[in-house]
Amino acid sequence: DARVTQTPRHKVTEMGQEVTMRCQPILGHNTVFWYRQTMMQGLELLAYFRNRAPLDDSGMPKDRFSAEMPDATLATLKIQPSEPRDSAVYFCASGTVDQPQHFGDGTRLSIL
Amino acid sequence: GESVGLHLPTLSVQEGDNSIINCAYSNSASDYFIWYKQESGKGPQFIIDIRSNMDKRQGQRVTVLLNKTVKHLSLQIAATQPGDSAVYFCAENSNTGNQFYFGTGTSLTVIP
């Protein structure tokens, strides 16, 4: 089965450090989503792309977060500088228009 | 101090019994709905979907019912098994884009 691959699966770092999370969407999928999941807020949409162009990043704190798709096989989510409140599980999902999104298994991020 | 977070609805069922998980949505323009299952340490996994031109759809051991009049969606799991223990999310989408809105989830525990 085709899968969305996220790396790293776990990341622990100190506040102030840069964090980069990577996602390989399923081949042929032209939409990519970044979500954050916490106990407090549940599943929140941070940003999404269609055909590598950002369509909506209103859910993302712009001063420290950035999302890019350098090519169709790679999406990145960066946090710089990281803060303890950024600790969460970050999910990437990919899909096509009007079809179910397929999720990766997430990056569990802990900022100390 | 008291911790504050999302209070997930919980459902406990005996193995072999049927389970019904409910979801209310608010956007009357939503026309596509998905149920996801999330196991501990994993990303949400697609279970079944339904479009607004239908009121029932069946899969393997699962049935989704859609009542557009009262904006209510339900997931029925037949002969529930221990492997069905997970958090179940409903997600809704309108034809204005590929952005899905997720509910807070229901935690299902199957008692052997």
Side-chain angles (χ1 to χ4, degrees), chain B residues 39-57:
Chain B
E39 297 175 278
S40 180
K42 295 189 177 181
Q45 178 186 9
F46 170 83
I47 303 173
I48 192 168
D49 58 358
I50 189 168
R51 298 190 186 271
S52 58
N53 60 352
M54 304 172 69
D55 53 24
K56 180 179 180 179
R57 190 160 188 227

Side-chain angles (χ1 to χ4, degrees), chain B residues 37-107:
Chain B
K37 171 187 180 184
Q38 186 176 22
E39 297 175 278
S40 180
K42 295 189 177 181
Q45 178 186 9
F46 170 83
I47 303 173
I48 192 168
D49 58 358
I50 189 168
R51 298 190 186 271
S52 58
N53 60 352
M54 304 172 69
D55 53 24
K56 180 179 180 179
R57 190 160 188 227
Q58 289 185 288
Q60 187 175 17
R61 284 200 307 117
V62 294
T63 301
V64 55
L65 299 177
L66 175 63
N67 185 330
K68 295 181 286 295
T69 303
V70 295
K71 296 200 281 288
H72 183 267
L73 195 66
S74 69
L75 177 71
Q76 300 178 0
I77 305 174
T80 315
Q81 302 169 359
D84 295 327
S85 294
V87 176
Y88 290 81
F89 293 94
C90 65
E92 59 179 299
N93 172 258
S94 71
N95 60 9
T96 58
N98 200 38
Q99 185 171 344
F100 283 85
Y101 297 92
F102 287 80
T104 54
T106 295
S107 177

Side-chain angles (χ1 to χ4, degrees), chain A residues 9 31 33 35 37 39-40 42 45 48 50 56 91 98-101 103-105, chain B residues 4-6 32 34 36 38 41-44 46 49 51 89 93 98-100 102:
Chain A
R9 289 297 317 277
T31 57
F33 303 80
Y35 292 89
Q37 188 175 44
M39 289 297 293
M40 295 291 289
L45 177 67
Y48 79 97
R50 183 177 298 161
D56 186 351
F91 287 105
D98 204 28
Q99 292 294 319
Q101 300 169 20
F103 284 78
D105 282 336
Chain B
V4 177
L6 289 176
Y32 182 43
I34 302 176
Y36 284 92
Q38 186 176 22
K42 295 189 177 181
F46 170 83
D49 58 358
R51 298 190 186 271
F89 293 94
N93 172 258
N98 200 38
Q99 185 171 344
F100 283 85
F102 287 80

Side-chain angles (χ1 to χ4, degrees), chain A residues 1-9 20-34 49 52 68-77 90-95 101-107:
Chain A
D1 283 345
R3 296 173 59 87
V4 173
T5 303
Q6 290 186 248
T7 56
R9 289 297 317 277
T20 299
M21 291 169 274
R22 293 177 173 81
C23 169
Q24 181 177 2
I26 292 172
L27 188 65
H29 284 184
N30 67 342
T31 57
V32 174
F33 303 80
W34 283 105
F49 293 76
R52 295 177 54 203
E68 296 178 347
M69 280 201 73
D71 61 60
T73 65
L74 176 65
T76 61
L77 180 66
Y90 290 81
F91 287 105
C92 175
S94 72
Q101 300 169 20
H102 295 262
F103 284 78
D105 282 336
T107 294

